[in-house]
Amino acid sequence: MTFTLVLPVLLWSDMLVWLLVLAGFVLGALSWRNLPLRAAWRRVGRSRPGMASATVLVVFVLIGLLDSLHYRPRLENRDPSQPAAYAIEVLSVLDAMASPLRARNEKTYSEPLATRAYAKESIEVREADGRVSTTRDFPRLKFGGAHLGESEEKRDADVLKRVLAAEALALIVVVLASLGGACLLAHRQGVSARQAWSSLWKGETEFAWNAVLVTLGVLLLAWLPVLALCVDYHVFGTDKVGQDVFYQILKSVRTALVIGLVTTLVTLPVAIMLGILAGYFRGWVDDVIQYLYTTLSSIPGVLLIAAAVLMMQVIIDTHPQWFATAAERADLRLLALCFILGLTSWTGLCRLLRGETLKLRELEYIQAAQAFGVADLRILLRHILPNLMHIVIIALVMDFSGLVLAEAVLSYIGIGVDPTMISFGTMINNARMELAREPMVWWSLISTFAFMFALVLAANLLADAMRDAFDPRLAGAS
Amino acid sequence: MLAYIARRLLYAIPILIGVNLITFALFFIVNTPDDMARMQLGVKRVTPEAIEKWKAERGYDKPLFVNGKASGAAVLTDTIFFTKSARMFVGDFGRAEDGRDITREIASRMGPSLAIALPTFILGLFVTVSFALLLAFFRATYLDFWGVVLCVAMMSISGLFYIIGGQYLISKLWRLVPISGYSAGLDAWKFLILPVAIGVISGIGSSTRWYRTIFLEEIGKDYVRTARAKGLSEITVLFRHVLRNALIPILTGVVVAIPLLFMGSLLTESFFGIPGLGSYTIDAISAQDFAVVRAMVFIGSVLYILGLILTDISYTVVDPRIRFDR
């Protein structure tokens, strides 16, 4: 008999997500040791739009990471002599934290913050004399505003009270955080706290602390009220099957991050290796590699993805015995999609790296190394690869936003993630038909697009800041 | 010049063979025809006889590369590779699941696709180049700054949002044009105007930003300074000198997309119910019609390679400094 409450589950995509975190740290440490790259990171840190968007992205990444720790909860077991049994359902830490959102399902659509459903239904009303009559009315929601009981008219006052309390808390946290930041800065630079405070807000610090603090403040002011409300209301409404839209959006974040980041991670080794080999060895190696990527890139991306996904579907459908749970199948399908997207996107990076290697190998220091008889492998690893890192880093951030947008389109066409997996694409696809309803169901579509916009805009702004900092041609200009 | 074009066309042959092999590998080796038959027939009706019948009806019952039972040239020709893949080189794409001839279907659907794609392309190019030129004219002012911010914001909006939002606003709320549909002839304009407008708007963000950097790069060059030193007005400098020179990278950059206009746009066509090649592809994907998807992959690559060749030729046409005679 065991006393463990949960059975940890490691999905394949979880593994890649955590591998990605590790790779991020390794890449960060390596580029910190390289002086030009460290200078570039410092330039990124000075960029205010860059740091503001990085703050937003960190929040998204934290949500995604919480959603990447999966487990199966233990079932209630009355008989202590039996071995512990675990639920077949795979949950994540995020699910556990958001369990009020996940479990409180209504019957169908309801508006944001509503206490009653969106469409009229026949309700049985027991009259005072015991007769039962049916009327058509908007039924009361099971969970939305349930704590109000019968007094639904108090909803506005309740919402206002919660929002004000949350805003007050947010303000206190922001002020404390900036005071703490100023004190820390004063301590590290050996100046008075007052000086540190003024230099912090004038933007005279090495790192754009003011942008981070302002963004943090805006995020707290916007989201603490939502968190305060979401325990008892459906802040963004519910969808057709009554699931909370806010919960679905939180779950979509991980899918978007996996698509945007894992895809690049799986293509990076291939693109780097082939690009360097083609550029460095030239001759027939170059010919073969060029032929390979020209052929692959001459197939229009969407069509190649469509063909590959169709084939993957056939494999999945004809081999149901490979997947123990539905979550596992959806997960492997997500990974397969990443690999397929990678198949079409490595060619661009490979071509860039080949061109840069061609240029580098003609430089004196490489020729000197060759003259000294340094082995080719050592030249590639020590002298060429570090000098290509800026291209790799720029490509990584530039691809991200495009991939997140592509996921939505592909899921709409029906060649994206598994229909059971919550993602921005599947949410848009489900919400699309609701616009034709009378009266219109607008909330799920609008909130999905808004969150996707926030994620992609932050990624685009960070990508711009990083490109400006890492591209040697642009670095001198700014 | 002719020799150069001929050489480029010869280069295209091995690439096309490669594309052909990739599609063949994807559709016949990764999944055998048996798998496809099981998929198409559904789980219930799968019997060995039904699979054999399905394969025989579509000509998938032959060996992949070498037919040992046949004699003479038929050893190579009476195979799946020859009948299904190699025949694509001569424009024979076989039949779709519903029995229609794919080649004829493609020919009849190219018109509607072009009717959307061509105006979108030309209008989009005009709008984005003008917008980028405006930003370049007001460079380093607030107008330029907020223009670029607008571009980044527009880039970050999903293409689906433009389509769904436009359809809702223009067609449903204001009832200006029909939501979807198509008619041949001159009546088509009222079905085309919204998809074209949405196509242009959704492309503004990224292209404008890209063209703006090209303009700014050109403005920093010496000949522009000389032109200004001669006393030319800023308008003359921009239109007579900068625009004409910046059009070289812009035009050669978009030439590659011209042949692909025939393919239409997947999203626009399916949302607006245009009977073009894009919606044909989407329908084939959702119906898992492998023959059609295979044909579209091959045609798409042919058009793309054609675009690359056109790009190289356009370089020599617009920029006399570039010669390929070596």
Side-chain angles (χ1 to χ4, degrees):
Chain A
M1 182 187 151
T2 54
F3 286 102
T4 45
L5 287 170
V6 294
L7 178 73
V9 176
L10 193 65
L11 295 174
W12 281 99
S13 61
D14 293 343
M15 212 138 82
L16 282 175
V17 165
W18 292 105
L19 190 71
L20 199 72
V21 173
L22 190 74
F25 275 117
V26 171
L27 203 71
L30 281 181
S31 58
W32 198 250
R33 279 170 50 188
N34 179 320
L35 282 180
L37 287 182
R38 194 195 299 185
W41 281 119
R42 287 229 164 95
R43 279 197 290 275
V44 178
R46 265 203 295 279
S47 149
R48 269 176 288 167
M51 281 305 101
S53 46
T55 314
V56 177
L57 283 179
V58 164
V59 175
F60 276 112
V61 168
L62 283 180
I63 295 174
L65 286 182
L66 282 179
D67 204 9
S68 296
L69 291 167
H70 285 97
Y71 66 92
R72 280 159 66 180
R74 202 166 88 129
L75 292 177
E76 289 291 324
N77 201 348
R78 295 282 156 81
D79 188 1
S81 62
Q82 294 283 318
Y86 296 96
I88 194 82
E89 190 183 23
V90 178
L91 294 177
S92 74
V93 174
L94 183 81
D95 289 329
M97 288 166 69
S99 48
L101 293 177
R102 186 174 60 85
R104 295 185 179 173
N105 285 344
E106 306 293 345
K107 232 154 70 188
T108 180
Y109 298 114
S110 69
E111 260 187 301
L113 297 177
T115 56
R116 287 181 173 265
Y118 193 56
K120 282 191 178 174
E121 269 177 39
S122 304
I123 315 169
E124 291 190 346
V125 182
R126 196 171 290 276
E127 307 274 329
D129 54 359
R131 281 185 301 127
V132 173
S133 66
T134 15
T135 52
R136 284 195 64 78
D137 196 10
F138 300 102
R140 185 84 167 79
L141 290 182
K142 233 187 311 173
F143 299 103
H147 63 294
L148 297 173
E150 288 297 305
S151 45
E152 281 172 59
E153 71 285 349
K154 283 188 192 153
R155 186 198 72 170
D156 294 349
D158 183 53
V159 169
L160 193 69
K161 201 177 76 191
R162 282 170 190 240
V163 169
L164 286 180
E167 297 291 18
L169 182 67
L171 269 181
I172 295 171
V173 172
V174 172
V175 170
L176 282 182
S178 33
L179 279 177
C183 288
L184 208 68
L185 214 64
H187 181 73
R188 274 179 58 180
Q189 292 177 342
V191 291
S192 75
R194 184 184 291 274
Q195 273 173 325
W197 177 262
S198 76
S199 76
L200 177 73
W201 290 112
K202 279 181 192 160
E204 289 161 354
T205 46
E206 268 297 280
F207 184 81
W209 283 114
N210 50 353
V212 173
L213 284 174
V214 167
T215 319
L216 216 58
V218 171
L219 283 178
L220 282 175
L221 284 175
W223 290 103
L224 273 187
V226 172
L227 290 182
L229 288 172
C230 75
V231 230
D232 285 314
Y233 296 97
H234 301 292
V235 185
F236 294 105
T238 55
D239 71 349
K240 191 175 181 180
V241 291
Q243 205 172 27
D244 194 286
V245 172
F246 185 42
Y247 170 72
Q248 294 185 29
I249 287 174
L250 288 180
K251 295 289 279 183
S252 305
V253 171
R254 174 178 185 265
T255 318
L257 289 176
V258 168
I259 296 259
L261 293 173
V262 172
T263 301
T264 325
L265 178 80
V266 296
T267 56
L268 227 45
V270 183
I272 292 179
M273 203 176 74
L274 293 184
I276 292 183
L277 289 182
Y280 186 75
F281 288 110
R282 299 193 292 193
W284 67 269
V285 181
D286 191 19
D287 288 340
V288 169
I289 292 172
Q290 271 200 71
Y291 173 72
L292 199 67
Y293 70 62
T294 316
T295 309
L296 263 181
S297 65
S298 60
I299 304 176
V302 188
L303 290 173
L304 184 58
I305 293 168
V309 171
L310 274 186
M311 289 303 114
M312 175 188 77
Q313 271 171 354
V314 175
I315 293 182
I316 286 179
D317 287 356
T318 46
H319 299 93
Q321 72 274 15
W322 289 355
F323 314 103
T325 58
E328 231 171 272
R329 196 188 62 212
D331 184 65
L332 274 176
R333 189 165 161 173
L334 175 70
L335 278 190
L337 185 68
C338 287
F339 276 92
I340 291 169
L341 281 169
L343 185 74
T344 58
S345 68
W346 69 275
T347 52
L349 179 61
C350 185
R351 184 179 318 194
L352 277 180
L353 290 176
R354 171 184 169 270
E356 191 68 17
T357 314
L358 274 177
K359 245 187 284 173
L360 285 178
R361 80 185 294 283
E362 300 302 326
L363 294 183
E364 281 90 351
Y365 77 97
I366 302 281
Q367 295 190 335
Q370 282 169 336
F372 278 130
V374 180
D376 283 334
L377 188 68
R378 204 173 158 76
I379 293 180
L380 288 180
L381 290 180
R382 287 285 308 255
H383 300 299
I384 293 198
L385 190 59
N387 289 309
L388 295 174
M389 279 330 262
H390 67 279
I391 297 183
V392 173
I393 291 174
I394 293 174
L396 209 124
V397 288
M398 296 290 266
D399 282 352
F400 176 81
S401 52
L403 287 168
V404 174
L405 290 177
E407 187 274 328
V409 172
L410 292 178
S411 294
Y412 164 73
I413 304 179
I415 49 176
V417 296
D418 195 85
T420 59
M421 178 161 250
I422 303 173
S423 79
F424 288 132
T426 49
M427 282 184 72
I428 292 173
N429 200 13
N430 294 336
R432 186 169 60 87
M433 300 315 290
E434 294 163 4
L435 278 184
R437 281 176 60 98
E438 272 318 320
M440 192 178 59
V441 176
W442 47 270
W443 47 86
S444 44
L445 203 61
I446 295 288
S447 29
T448 312
F449 276 129
F451 270 83
M452 219 167 115
F453 176 68
L455 176 62
V456 174
L457 183 66
N460 272 335
L461 288 176
L462 182 67
D464 275 5
M466 284 180 70
R467 191 194 52 196
D468 289 351
F470 279 91
D471 195 331
R473 285 174 307 167
L474 298 169
S478 55
Chain B
M1 189 69 191
L2 271 180
Y4 172 72
I5 296 174
R7 209 169 60 222
R8 283 305 316 251
L9 285 175
L10 281 180
Y11 280 145
I13 292 174
I15 294 177
L16 276 180
I17 293 177
V19 170
N20 200 303
L21 283 175
I22 289 176
T23 50
F24 180 77
L26 256 181
F27 283 91
F28 292 106
I29 297 178
V30 175
N31 287 295
T32 59
D34 285 28
D35 288 335
M36 283 191 269
R38 239 170 256 142
M39 184 83 185
Q40 281 285 344
L41 295 171
V43 187
K44 283 179 192 160
R45 280 184 291 157
V46 168
T47 56
E49 296 81 43
I51 290 179
E52 285 309 316
K53 183 162 164 281
W54 188 90
K55 278 161 61 184
E57 275 169 7
R58 285 159 186 77
Y60 290 150
D61 54 346
K62 298 171 180 132
L64 286 180
F65 284 108
V66 181
N67 194 343
K69 287 180 207 147
S71 59
V75 173
L76 289 178
T77 57
D78 197 22
T79 58
I80 289 185
F81 179 73
F82 190 83
T83 54
K84 297 292 167 195
S85 261
R87 294 277 282 276
M88 294 208 283
F89 280 111
V90 292
D92 176 8
F93 298 107
R95 288 179 184 284
E97 277 302 318
D98 57 8
R100 293 200 200 162
D101 185 45
I102 297 178
T103 314
R104 189 179 298 166
E105 194 81 356
I106 287 173
S108 71
R109 280 168 174 267
M110 258 183 194
S113 276
L114 267 187
I116 295 248
L118 204 61
T120 311
F121 176 75
I122 295 171
L123 212 63
L125 196 62
F126 178 74
V127 169
T128 45
V129 167
S130 322
F131 191 28
L133 202 62
L134 185 80
L135 294 184
F137 182 76
F138 289 103
R139 62 191 170 278
T141 63
Y142 275 108
L143 187 75
D144 180 34
F145 175 78
W146 288 108
V148 174
V149 169
L150 182 72
C151 287
V152 177
M154 288 181 80
M155 270 167 71
S156 310
I157 298 174
S158 166
L160 293 164
F161 180 78
Y162 288 110
I163 298 179
I164 296 176
Q167 265 188 335
Y168 174 72
L169 207 65
I170 311 280
S171 299
K172 193 164 173 245
L173 213 57
W174 296 341
R175 298 182 184 279
L176 294 181
V177 289
I179 283 194
S180 67
Y182 185 75
S183 77
L186 283 177
D187 272 352
W189 68 269
K190 62 176 182 231
F191 293 106
L192 296 182
I193 192 159
L194 184 60
V196 168
I198 288 174
V200 170
I201 291 171
S202 60
I204 284 182
S206 52
S207 337
T208 304
R209 228 164 63 113
W210 168 237
Y211 299 156
R212 178 182 160 272
T213 45
I214 293 178
F215 281 131
L216 289 185
E217 215 167 275
E218 208 65 31
I219 283 175
K221 285 188 176 163
D222 286 344
Y223 74 90
V224 178
R225 199 174 47 195
T226 312
R228 287 213 195 92
K230 286 194 302 186
L232 296 183
S233 69
E234 185 68 22
I235 299 281
T236 324
V237 171
L238 272 188
F239 280 91
R240 290 284 298 275
H241 297 272
V242 174
L243 179 62
R244 291 175 74 175
N245 281 297
L247 274 181
I248 295 176
I250 292 176
L251 286 182
T252 48
V254 298
V255 161
V256 70
I258 292 178
L260 281 173
L261 293 179
F262 284 99
M263 299 287 286
S265 148
L266 297 184
L267 279 187
T268 317
E269 286 185 16
S270 76
F271 266 101
F272 289 96
I274 310 285
L277 284 179
S279 53
Y280 189 50
T281 315
I282 295 252
D283 293 345
I285 290 170
S286 48
Q288 304 196 318
D289 193 330
F290 303 106
V292 176
V293 176
R294 204 171 57 220
M296 297 312 288
V297 168
F298 189 70
I299 295 175
S301 347
V302 172
L303 292 175
Y304 180 79
I305 293 167
L306 198 66
L308 288 182
I309 297 173
L310 284 180
T311 307
D312 282 346
I313 295 172
S314 70
Y315 276 126
T316 59
V317 173
V318 295
D319 192 345
R321 286 171 299 184
I322 299 173
R323 299 205 166 279
F324 291 101
D325 298 340
R326 285 176 293 136

